Amino acid sequence: MRRRLLDATVECLVRYGYAGTTTTRVTELAGVTRGAQVHHFPTRTDLVAAAVRHLAAKRAELAFEKIDAVRTAPDPLDAALELMWEVHQGPVQYATMEMWVAARTDPELREQMTQVEPAARASLIEFTEAAFGEHSGNPRFRHVMYTAMDAVRGILLMGLSDADPENVGKRWHRAKTDLRDLMDVVLPGGSATRA
């Protein structure tokens, strides 16, 4: 029941935006009663706060499902960067972006988002350690991975207003090339992560 409500909240955020995500719409999409929703999430803020955590967990789950493919790829860094790009696509990311933008003017949501973001960063560190054990302790390497996440999010956010979807892919390709060059400077031996 709880999962259905959270998934319905994400769907509402994607379809109607944050302003249009009401508890009435969420209960209708989830196919539950208002009483069931109130039992699990007494207020809209509680529901949206749980959805924020749910989205962060979904992104981490998507990344860890593919960790073995990153480890065994001929070019693990490229595979990791592409995976970072991939897990920030689609409904999960659109719903997350809705909440980032809404948090600017909604203090309660902003507080929830600031509590979730450290968990998202912790997931990135955990992923980096799992994928690049020998390099994960290097703080400069970690900072480049944060920069990669910031680049992905920024490109996708700006892409929402671009009439040509191919431009988004071109921006990502350019940013990934720059990130690879930066990684060559940060890691001992330069292209140690390239096959």
Side-chain angles (χ1 to χ4, degrees), residues 24-69:
T24 301
R25 277 190 170 143
V26 170
T27 56
E28 286 172 4
L29 280 172
V32 301
T33 65
R34 172 87 170 118
Q37 178 259 304
V38 171
H39 172 74
H40 290 283
F41 306 104
T43 67
R44 176 180 184 244
T45 302
D46 294 328
L47 179 61
V48 172
V52 169
R53 289 186 287 281
H54 178 65
L55 288 169
K58 276 186 115 167
R59 275 198 313 267
E61 188 180 297
L62 289 169
F64 279 98
E65 283 175 5
K66 299 186 177 186
I67 191 80
D68 288 334

Side-chain angles (χ1 to χ4, degrees), residues 5-108:
L5 284 163
L6 292 174
D7 287 341
T9 303
V10 171
E11 187 176 340
C12 252
L13 286 163
V14 173
R15 278 191 198 180
Y16 307 110
Y18 180 72
T21 297
T22 64
T23 54
T24 301
R25 277 190 170 143
V26 170
T27 56
E28 286 172 4
L29 280 172
V32 301
T33 65
R34 172 87 170 118
Q37 178 259 304
V38 171
H39 172 74
H40 290 283
F41 306 104
T43 67
R44 176 180 184 244
T45 302
D46 294 328
L47 179 61
V48 172
V52 169
R53 289 186 287 281
H54 178 65
L55 288 169
K58 276 186 115 167
R59 275 198 313 267
E61 188 180 297
L62 289 169
F64 279 98
E65 283 175 5
K66 299 186 177 186
I67 191 80
D68 288 334
V70 170
R71 285 189 195 123
T72 59
D75 184 345
L77 181 58
D78 188 72
L81 290 171
E82 282 301 319
L83 180 57
M84 190 179 296
W85 178 253
E86 181 185 327
V87 300
H88 282 87
Q89 304 292 318
V92 170
Q93 184 60 19
Y94 292 130
T96 303
M97 285 192 276
E98 279 291 329
M99 290 191 292
W100 287 340
V101 173
R104 185 183 73 80
T105 57
D106 184 326
E108 289 179 285

Side-chain angles (χ1 to χ4, degrees), residues 78-165:
D78 188 72
L81 290 171
E82 282 301 319
L83 180 57
M84 190 179 296
W85 178 253
E86 181 185 327
V87 300
H88 282 87
Q89 304 292 318
V92 170
Q93 184 60 19
Y94 292 130
T96 303
M97 285 192 276
E98 279 291 329
M99 290 191 292
W100 287 340
V101 173
R104 185 183 73 80
T105 57
D106 184 326
E108 289 179 285
L109 181 59
R110 183 172 42 248
E111 185 174 326
Q112 293 297 330
M113 295 298 284
T114 58
Q115 291 174 15
V116 170
E117 277 305 309
R121 286 192 299 276
S123 291
L124 178 62
I125 290 171
E126 191 179 334
F127 175 82
T128 302
E129 288 172 350
F132 305 101
E134 74 271 17
H135 300 299
S136 63
N138 179 339
R140 292 177 71 201
F141 179 80
R142 205 173 312 142
H143 290 167
V144 173
M145 294 306 282
Y146 285 141
T147 300
M149 185 167 67
D150 292 342
V152 165
R153 291 172 168 188
I155 290 167
L156 290 171
L157 188 58
M158 292 306 297
L160 293 176
S161 63
D162 195 326
D164 184 356

